[in-house]
Amino acid sequence: MSNPEIDTDTGIPDRWMRIWAPHRAAYLSGENRPLPTNEVPCPFCEIPKKEDAAGLIVHRGKSLFVVLNLYPYNPGHLLICTYRHISDFTELENAERNELSELTDSSMKALREVSKPVGFNIGINQGEFAGAGIPAHFHQHIVPRWKGDANFMPVVSGTKVISQMLDEVRNELVAVFKSN
């Protein structure tokens, strides 16, 4: 008989509450990501071929699109991606740079209306060693932030609690983009 306070086997209840996020392990191991070791097509080239809801597309611009991150750091984590398969900021044409700025503005306004963040992390991880999960296709992150969102969960358990389903967030953001 085991002590209920100690979990010696997987799945045995103990005093610890656990939130499992196995979808992250699939992503980290390369599922749905183009890597030198697999033949997965670029997801940012594939997403615009899908219906908006299926691709989690929030808004389609002329040369870039806004999409919810399938593996978000926070609820409402958006990516602004080029339609063109380019990897570097310096490859953007002037019209793309301007639209990137406009879509960043629109995305921040939509997120403020929908989920009331108190701040944002906005960034471009340029290249694999700078942290880009998909370094071959240019994209910018817009991560809404709230006071206290960096709580003990990521530190203690490596788990992020996402409080709203992606399709719910997408539908709310689409409505705001359409109204503006």
Side-chain angles (χ1 to χ4, degrees):
M1 178 172 221
S2 66
N3 181 342
E5 294 294 313
I6 301 171
D7 182 9
T8 57
D9 297 307
T10 58
I12 304 290
D14 61 15
R15 63 187 172 94
W16 299 102
M17 295 297 295
R18 290 179 173 80
I19 298 175
W20 300 97
H23 68 282
R24 291 293 300 164
Y27 173 75
L28 294 172
S29 68
E31 183 176 300
N32 295 324
R33 276 196 309 157
L35 299 171
T37 57
N38 65 28
E39 295 191 21
V40 173
C42 174
F44 297 146
C45 289
E46 297 299 312
I47 289 170
K49 297 175 186 175
K50 299 178 180 182
E51 294 290 326
D52 289 358
L56 298 175
I57 295 172
V58 172
H59 176 78
R60 291 179 187 259
K62 292 177 185 157
S63 54
L64 297 102
F65 62 97
V66 181
V67 62
L68 278 168
N69 189 337
L70 186 58
Y71 305 98
Y73 296 130
N74 270 349
H77 179 170
L78 296 174
L79 302 173
I80 301 175
C81 306
T82 55
Y83 288 115
R84 291 191 311 130
H85 186 79
I86 58 172
S87 62
D88 198 273
F89 182 85
T90 61
E91 296 176 67
L92 291 173
E93 296 173 354
N94 286 336
E96 291 168 321
R97 270 193 219 79
N98 291 339
E99 190 174 4
L100 177 64
S101 180
E102 292 166 6
L103 290 177
T104 300
D105 178 81
S106 298
S107 296
M108 290 174 65
K109 288 176 179 173
L111 285 164
R112 282 186 175 128
E113 186 172 326
V114 167
S115 57
K116 316 291 187 270
V118 296
F120 295 92
N121 290 118
I122 299 173
I124 302 164
N125 299 329
Q126 195 65 77
E128 178 184 357
F129 296 105
I134 302 173
H137 197 121
F138 179 83
H139 59 285
Q140 174 184 277
H141 295 257
I142 300 179
V143 182
R145 302 300 304 264
W146 296 268
K147 183 178 179 182
D149 69 7
N151 59 27
F152 71 94
M153 291 298 291
V155 175
V156 173
S157 68
T159 301
K160 191 75 177 173
V161 178
I162 305 298
S163 58
Q164 194 174 16
M165 299 302 291
L166 291 174
D167 60 340
E168 293 172 11
V169 176
R170 183 197 161 273
N171 292 338
E172 291 176 9
L173 289 169
V174 166
V176 173
F177 264 91
K178 284 183 178 177
S179 69
N180 292 332

